[in-house]
Amino acid sequence: MDIYLQAAIAEARKGLEEGGIPIGSVLVIDGEIVGRGRNRRVQKGSAILHAEMDCLENAGRLSAAEYRRATLYSTLSPCDMCSGAILLYGIPRVVAGENRTFHGPETYLRSRNVELLVLDDPECAALMKDFIAAHPALWNEDIGV
Amino acid sequence: MDIYLQAAIAEARKGLEEGGIPIGSVLVIDGEIVGRGRNRRVQKGSAILHAEMDCLENAGRLSAAEYRRATLYSTLSPCDMCSGAILLYGIPRVVAGENRTFHGPETYLRSRNVELLVLDDPECAALMKDFIAAHPALWNEDIGV
């Protein structure tokens, strides 16, 4: 399996162990993981720390030139907020583990020239399917429903 | 002047005093300010704490029903990331102080049924115009340029 998706899944599993929502993300530049993150709504009482946002925050302040060489991995199809962050920074490539359990604005991302690959990974989908079944209210809160 | 825009400007000025980028934001529900924020890229070394994001974070975890009664004020037209957060949470109304110094995806926000009012406030515009002239590289970093 893709080593970067594997690193994102490791973040998702860490989140699950902490009692959080199991979504993980890594930012890769020139083959190197420069940031890792996981959804921390529960852990930090946060409304903005989706996995991809936490990952971008942990990667620190980067230049536009760095973002333009980056690929953002997420175990799940990025939501409106995280897609917006991808657009703000001009991150050209996104790899999502799956989009069966949640479907972000993929068409819009592509219309703004982001290359988006959805891997349909069964491990990512199983993590979310089990979590949503066990914690539907928390999941709805996380996606503004 | 609109008391909520005034509160957002107060946040922007606080940010400027801290050495930060002078953009402020407040979240209003049922006439009450439930969150305040300011751009904290400099102050916290943050890639995600634009004013609106800081404001949403400071407002804490809210329900979809609360967001649906909210108005988000910002001294500046919201960028792709902050617009995405507005869409994620279904915030129906946005009031921006100005869009002369930066223009977010306003057409897209409106196409997704967000009511967006731009006040063209001279104080908001002057704050940003002066800041951008003094710190162009920092400003470019903040908008991914």
Side-chain angles (χ1 to χ4, degrees):
Chain A
M1 186 205 281
D2 186 307
I3 57 164
Y4 304 118
L5 183 66
Q6 218 154 14
I9 292 174
E11 285 294 314
R13 292 205 175 279
K14 205 181 287 183
L16 190 63
E17 281 162 26
E18 293 165 346
I21 303 173
I23 306 169
S25 175
V26 299
L27 186 70
V28 177
I29 298 180
D30 303 337
E32 202 183 316
I33 294 177
V34 299
R36 296 168 196 259
R38 55 192 179 276
N39 187 303
R40 296 208 278 176
R41 174 173 296 274
V42 172
Q43 297 92 315
K44 298 198 89 174
S46 173
I48 66 170
L49 288 178
H50 276 190
E52 300 90 328
M53 304 298 291
D54 189 49
C55 173
L56 291 172
E57 184 70 333
N58 291 336
R61 291 171 53 181
L62 302 177
S63 68
E66 289 169 301
Y67 286 121
R68 295 235 156 77
R69 300 200 310 278
T71 301
L72 184 69
Y73 285 76
S74 176
T75 54
L76 184 62
S77 175
C79 79
D80 278 307
M81 173 174 67
C82 300
S83 296
I86 289 159
L87 292 170
L88 168 65
Y89 288 122
I91 296 172
R93 281 173 303 278
V94 175
V95 179
E98 60 108 357
N99 64 1
R100 286 190 226 177
T101 65
F102 177 81
H103 208 288
E106 297 179 2
T107 306
Y108 179 62
L109 267 186
R110 289 186 174 117
S111 79
R112 298 269 314 263
N113 301 316
V114 175
E115 185 190 331
L116 171 65
L117 187 66
V118 181
L119 298 180
D120 198 24
D121 178 81
E123 186 177 357
C124 293
L127 267 169
M128 283 308 291
K129 202 178 153 225
D130 293 350
F131 185 84
I132 292 169
H135 306 281
L138 177 54
W139 174 238
N140 282 340
E141 182 195 318
D142 202 53
I143 55 173
V145 173
Chain B
M1 187 207 275
D2 186 306
I3 57 165
Y4 305 118
L5 183 65
Q6 220 153 13
I9 292 173
E11 285 293 314
R13 292 206 176 279
K14 206 179 287 183
L16 190 63
E17 282 163 28
E18 293 166 346
I21 303 173
I23 306 170
S25 175
V26 299
L27 186 69
V28 177
I29 298 181
D30 303 337
E32 202 183 317
I33 295 178
V34 299
R36 296 167 196 262
R38 54 190 179 277
N39 187 304
R40 297 208 278 178
R41 174 173 296 274
V42 173
Q43 298 92 315
K44 298 198 88 172
S46 174
I48 66 170
L49 288 177
H50 276 192
E52 301 90 327
M53 303 299 290
D54 189 46
C55 173
L56 291 173
E57 185 70 332
N58 291 335
R61 289 171 53 181
L62 301 177
S63 67
E66 290 169 302
Y67 286 121
R68 296 237 156 77
R69 300 198 310 277
T71 301
L72 185 70
Y73 285 75
S74 176
T75 55
L76 183 62
S77 176
C79 80
D80 279 309
M81 173 174 67
C82 300
S83 296
I86 289 160
L87 292 171
L88 167 65
Y89 288 124
I91 295 172
R93 279 174 302 279
V94 175
V95 180
E98 60 109 356
N99 63 1
R100 286 190 225 176
T101 64
F102 177 80
H103 210 288
E106 297 179 0
T107 305
Y108 179 61
L109 266 187
R110 290 187 175 117
S111 79
R112 297 271 312 262
N113 300 315
V114 175
E115 186 189 331
L116 171 66
L117 187 66
V118 181
L119 298 180
D120 198 24
D121 178 81
E123 186 177 355
C124 293
L127 268 168
M128 282 309 291
K129 201 176 155 227
D130 293 351
F131 185 85
I132 293 169
H135 307 280
L138 177 54
W139 174 238
N140 282 341
E141 182 195 317
D142 202 52
I143 53 173
V145 173

